[in-house]
Amino acid sequence: MKNVMSNKTAIILYVLPSLLLVLFLIYIPIALTGYYGLMDWSGVGQMKFIGLENYKKLIHDKLFWESTWHSVLLALFSVLSLIGYLIVSLILASKIKGGNLFRKIYIIPMLMSSVAIAQLWIKIFDPMNGLINSLLSMFGIKETPLWLADPDMALYSVFIPIVWQYAGFYIIIMYAALINVPQELIEAARIDGANAFQIAYKIKVPLISGVLKVLVILAVVGSLKYFDLIYVMTGGGPGHATEVIASYMYKEAFGKFNFGYGSAIGFGLLILSMGATWMIQKMLRVNQE
Amino acid sequence: MKEKKILDSKPRSPLRQIAMGILYFILVVVALLQLYPLVWLFLLSLKTNQEVFGMSPFALPKSPRWENYINAWFDGGINQYFFNSVWYTIVAVVLTLILASFVTFALTRMEWKFKGVVLALFMIAYMIPLHSTLIPLFNIYNKMNLIDNPVSIILSYTTFNLPITIMILLGFYQSLPREIEEAAVMDGCSVHRIFFRITLPMTAPVLATTAIINMIYNWNEFVFVNTFISSEKWKTITVGVNNFVGQYLTDWGAIGATLVISILPILIVYLFLSDRIIEGLVAGSVKG
Amino acid sequence: MKKKAFTWLVLLMLMAGIVLSGCSSSSSDSASEGKSGDGKIHLKFMHDWPKGSSTAYYNLVEEIIKDYEAKHPNVQIDVEVLNPDQYRDKLKVLAASNELPDVGLTWSNGFAEPYATGGQFAPLNDIIEKEFKDQFVPGTVEAYTFNGKSYALPMEMNITYIFYNKEIFKKYGLQEPKTFEDLKNIGKTLIKHGVIPATVGSKDGWPASMWFMYLADRIGGPTILTDVIQGKVKMSDPAIVKAAKEVQNLVDMGFFVKGNTAFSNDDAKGYFLNEKAAMFLTATWELPNFTTSPDVPQEFKEKVGYFKFPLYEGGKGTDINSYVGGPGLGAFVAENSKHKEQAKDFAAYLVKEWGKRSVEGAGILPAMKVDTEGLDVPQMYLDVLNDINNATNITTWFDTQASPNVSELHHDLMTALFGKQITPEEFAKQHDDALAEEANK
């Protein structure tokens, strides 16, 4: 009986195509990124082997660590926001009237491309005509904040649209997971006198913990390598106040023609992501036991 | 399915009603906020550049510029790009879903060595930043003679979405009941039969979810297209959007129009797939 | 039943996908065979003027290509168009794989240098000598010249002015300023009346830098920034630090639109076009917007005037006809091109025709000398062309002259200077550090 599920041919048939694609189209670039990281290369012309020079520079590069800190902050924010999304998903999936409609609407911003979202939020944050400051001045607040232009606020300001943009992504997955929770278990708990909160906390959430764990990893890794909106909205500025690892890497590799150093940053990011994932898995496994 | 719609059969206390009222109020407000971007986009698509900048985003266009749509369709080349976007997206989504399902099935249901290694390989593949891949990938495709060939786009979309799709599926497969599959094994079904006839249908809601996510990613992607494609005839609709971005001038009205045109098809498909998420509902939600 | 239907749908789509992708790849194969089979020479040409955003440029290029193909029936030009950001990135990827197009466009100085010295661009001295003798505006070819070889045929030439809203000036009884002190007083008057004196998109760095560059020119003399690039003068020179300080003085008095460190050039331009800001320091590539563009209302266009950046009392730059500006894009030919001679021929034709037609046809100032005699263009163009002919000096933009490395840093530092995140001294020092590091390489 076990034989069926350890059928070698089937396993190879199922796994190999994907594995080959990934090895070929992702691992070769990963290996090459590591290799370029050992070079002094502008991306044009001759490469020069310089060993670990780029990595040594990286360790002492204040800007790199600053960008890393910003990326880590984004990761923390994203993970925290998961709690909010979970609550929303629990409400929407709890068969309240109109839940399905609300869910559909909530996910709509996710359909928009980053180009549109960036423009929308630049307009919302505009210090003079923007939505937020117009509202604030309507309530009589004179000294309205500068948002993206204020180095102390820019980073947090730019987090808001990012977290908002991804809300749909997480909600749609959590929702699908919650909908899959067997109704019988919930009924049984209800008959035992459990209220909605207890059912959510004791039954639904543990049952979708597998999905939640994956989402935490996706949120952290996705945040660490995040690029799009930040690059369009602030370009990493003002004065690197919103620089993240990926934008820093892009600027070095494509803007400044330091392709070797840019690759080293990319490889550093990869290692950081691996470390973070390993840690999350450790932590969540302990939690579950 | 229907018999489970027991809803809240408890009697409603006034306190509970007030709580529900507040809840609905919040839900509606959030819904309006989420719909605002669509309205904004539509208004944007009817404005001149002058109206887009330096004015409140609420301001209505003085005289709606419907010609922005004509501009978008012809000058932006959308008419040409549209079909490409559609079929790249469909092919890549289907390939990704089927390949990812295969892998996830093998990882969670089958018995073999190196599972951990293979899973780790897929997870690490998710971590590479996009811009690190461009030069190596261009080289690979160039050697394979796939530059300016849609195959390079399909392959890139499929491969780069595989890791995240596998990870999401993994979360679901782990919580899905295995009883039916086990019963099928007892009955002497072949692996393929189990996969195609039992597991795949059972995961329909999840597949719909990942299909939506994949579709959105592919539809809005442009870095790969710009890098690997050079002929007009193979470009996609997001390239059309970027055609309105210039060095000294960007035509935001036309960009808005292009974005409206480009969001409609995925909006429709999304609403359609979105219902599949619940319809397929726990097909195999076997008792227990 | 529905479940089954869904599975079948998925399978069907999969099959359709395989068939479709199969079809298309085979059709593209046949297309590429057709390419080699039609006996024509195919030249790849890449530019960054998309039809949607740079219509006039795009159409002019198309026109010239058509004429060229008509004259050379054995040649076909395959054009690829990308927007500037993506164009930059793609050029980089292509160069890394030695796959540059036969003919393409490049920015001058710092941007072109890695490509030129890295052996990607072909030297074009022969055709410049043969076909373009004395036809380019002085200083433009030099912007693409490294180690005595010239690598591109310049196409654009822009200088910068302060454009202003004549109506707003009139309303508050303001005159075009002669000195920097006048300019500040104009600012004070406007602020008093609640009008934003000037708009600037300092998120992008380069628009902000124009203010700094002019002040450096007026305070430290017309060659000072070029001298910095060449290592003859340090950025920490008192004149340059003073220029940076004056920039911050303007920021302090509220001369610039609020929140400008988060504005792109486009965002900032909106304030000028909507008459919320009175002045906008920008380059002549905006001329169509202020004269011929059908997208801008006529009544606004009639209000736009311009003046030269005023002189600074006691500064070394005493000539108001010294400008900040420079060549923009030029046409290069790839060193690896399989049809190098044909590519050179096309590039030369393109640039030559461009020089003849661009002012009247597209409102673009070319890098070739233009004969204003009998030119049918708005007065503002004639004035500007006149100014270019009478210019005593045109300092190429600092960020263009600098290496890509220093250029990016300069943009970041400009934003920080406008945002008052750094002092003028730090601003100078960080430049000097980067320049010194580069010199040591």
Side-chain angles (χ1 to χ4, degrees), chain C residues 43 45 65 68 77 103 342-351:
Chain C
L43 289 181
F45 172 48
I65 288 174
Y68 186 80
I77 313 288
V103 180
Q342 195 68 51
K344 280 185 183 176
D345 186 62
F346 169 65
Y349 183 83
L350 172 74
V351 175

Side-chain angles (χ1 to χ4, degrees), chain A residues 1-135:
Chain A
M1 173 197 109
K2 280 267 168 205
N3 282 346
V4 184
M5 283 307 195
S6 51
N7 178 337
K8 285 233 170 59
T9 332
I11 292 170
I12 289 172
L13 204 65
Y14 285 8
V15 176
L16 204 62
S18 308
L19 199 59
L20 282 179
L21 276 178
V22 166
L23 286 178
F24 206 57
L25 296 181
I26 300 185
Y27 276 87
I28 291 181
I30 287 180
L32 281 173
T33 302
Y35 171 74
Y36 295 148
L38 303 174
M39 302 286 157
D40 180 14
W41 187 37
S42 68
V44 184
Q46 289 299 311
M47 285 185 213
K48 202 175 101 199
F49 181 78
I50 51 165
L52 293 174
E53 267 325 295
N54 281 330
Y55 294 94
K56 269 186 210 149
K57 188 175 156 200
L58 196 64
I59 288 172
H60 298 292
D61 185 349
K62 232 175 66 197
L63 253 177
F64 171 71
W65 291 111
E66 227 172 88
S67 326
T68 305
W69 171 237
H70 296 156
S71 294
V72 169
L73 273 179
L74 177 59
L76 289 176
F77 265 78
S78 306
V79 172
L80 285 180
S81 65
L82 287 182
I83 299 170
Y85 304 146
L86 182 60
I87 294 171
V88 174
S89 310
L90 279 167
I91 294 172
L92 295 181
S94 69
K95 309 225 154 158
I96 64 165
K97 263 199 201 113
N100 194 24
L101 179 69
F102 282 124
R103 174 183 55 89
K104 279 185 187 164
I105 293 173
Y106 285 7
I107 289 159
I108 285 177
M110 183 172 100
L111 303 176
M112 295 174 75
S113 70
S114 293
V115 187
I117 292 176
Q119 272 313 309
L120 169 68
W121 282 88
I122 288 173
K123 296 285 175 297
I124 290 177
F125 281 129
D126 187 299
M128 305 199 46
N129 307 312
L131 182 64
I132 304 181
N133 279 4
S134 305
L135 283 176

Side-chain angles (χ1 to χ4, degrees), chain C residues 255-293:
Chain C
F255 194 83
F256 299 111
V257 60
K258 209 171 117 188
N260 60 68
T261 50
F263 286 165
S264 67
N265 188 53
D266 264 354
D267 295 323
K269 201 194 308 174
Y271 281 87
F272 185 64
L273 292 177
N274 285 296
E275 308 186 47
K276 291 191 174 160
M279 291 178 273
F280 182 35
L281 173 57
T282 192
T284 43
W285 59 64
E286 294 288 352
L287 283 182
N289 266 336
F290 304 148
T291 53
T292 51
S293 166

Side-chain angles (χ1 to χ4, degrees), chain A residues 37-262:
Chain A
L38 303 174
M39 302 286 157
D40 180 14
W41 187 37
S42 68
V44 184
Q46 289 299 311
M47 285 185 213
K48 202 175 101 199
F49 181 78
I50 51 165
L52 293 174
E53 267 325 295
N54 281 330
Y55 294 94
K56 269 186 210 149
K57 188 175 156 200
L58 196 64
I59 288 172
H60 298 292
D61 185 349
K62 232 175 66 197
L63 253 177
F64 171 71
W65 291 111
E66 227 172 88
S67 326
T68 305
W69 171 237
H70 296 156
S71 294
V72 169
L73 273 179
L74 177 59
L76 289 176
F77 265 78
S78 306
V79 172
L80 285 180
S81 65
L82 287 182
I83 299 170
Y85 304 146
L86 182 60
I87 294 171
V88 174
S89 310
L90 279 167
I91 294 172
L92 295 181
S94 69
K95 309 225 154 158
I96 64 165
K97 263 199 201 113
N100 194 24
L101 179 69
F102 282 124
R103 174 183 55 89
K104 279 185 187 164
I105 293 173
Y106 285 7
I107 289 159
I108 285 177
M110 183 172 100
L111 303 176
M112 295 174 75
S113 70
S114 293
V115 187
I117 292 176
Q119 272 313 309
L120 169 68
W121 282 88
I122 288 173
K123 296 285 175 297
I124 290 177
F125 281 129
D126 187 299
M128 305 199 46
N129 307 312
L131 182 64
I132 304 181
N133 279 4
S134 305
L135 283 176
L136 286 180
S137 51
M138 233 157 59
F139 288 113
I141 296 168
K142 285 248 167 58
E143 280 298 306
T144 46
L146 294 176
W147 306 109
L148 296 170
D150 180 344
D152 296 325
M153 286 183 90
L155 187 66
Y156 301 98
S157 304
V158 87
F159 282 174
I160 296 171
I162 298 173
V163 167
W164 174 80
Q165 180 188 22
Y166 278 91
F169 172 82
Y170 294 112
I171 291 177
I172 199 173
I173 295 173
M174 288 178 178
Y175 184 89
L178 286 169
I179 281 288
N180 269 308
V181 169
Q183 204 60 34
E184 294 76 12
L185 294 180
I186 298 170
E187 283 314 315
R190 193 166 283 152
I191 290 162
D192 287 348
N195 64 29
F197 294 105
Q198 287 166 329
I199 291 175
Y201 185 69
K202 291 255 169 71
I203 297 178
K204 289 184 180 170
V205 173
L207 273 174
I208 64 164
S209 64
V211 173
L212 292 179
K213 195 168 124 186
V214 167
L215 290 185
V216 171
I217 293 175
L218 290 180
V220 168
V221 176
S223 303
L224 289 179
K225 64 171 193 174
Y226 191 78
F227 176 79
D228 291 15
L229 280 188
I230 290 188
Y231 190 73
V232 185
M233 287 181 67
T234 65
H240 300 293
T242 57
E243 204 76 77
V244 289
I245 306 177
S247 67
Y248 188 45
M249 182 200 92
Y250 172 80
K251 281 184 182 176
E252 286 291 331
F254 285 84
K256 297 189 179 176
F257 288 75
N258 296 331
F259 206 83
Y261 190 53

Side-chain angles (χ1 to χ4, degrees), chain A residues 4-5 14 18 27 30 95 97 103-104 106-107 110-111 119 123 129 131 164 177 179 214 225 277, chain B residues 7 24 27 34 52 54 58 103 110-111 121 126-128 167 191-192 216 220 252 270 274-275 281:
Chain A
V4 184
M5 283 307 195
Y14 285 8
S18 308
Y27 276 87
I30 287 180
K95 309 225 154 158
K97 263 199 201 113
R103 174 183 55 89
K104 279 185 187 164
Y106 285 7
I107 289 159
M110 183 172 100
L111 303 176
Q119 272 313 309
K123 296 285 175 297
N129 307 312
L131 182 64
W164 174 80
I179 281 288
V214 167
K225 64 171 193 174
T277 310
Chain B
L7 284 173
Y24 270 99
L27 286 174
Q34 302 296 79
V52 171
F58 279 133
V103 173
M110 301 182 75
E111 308 285 331
L121 280 175
Y126 176 61
M127 299 171 188
I128 187 166
M167 281 164 79
V191 189
H192 308 298
I216 295 167
N220 288 327
W252 285 105
Y270 157 70
S274 170
D275 283 331
L281 187 56

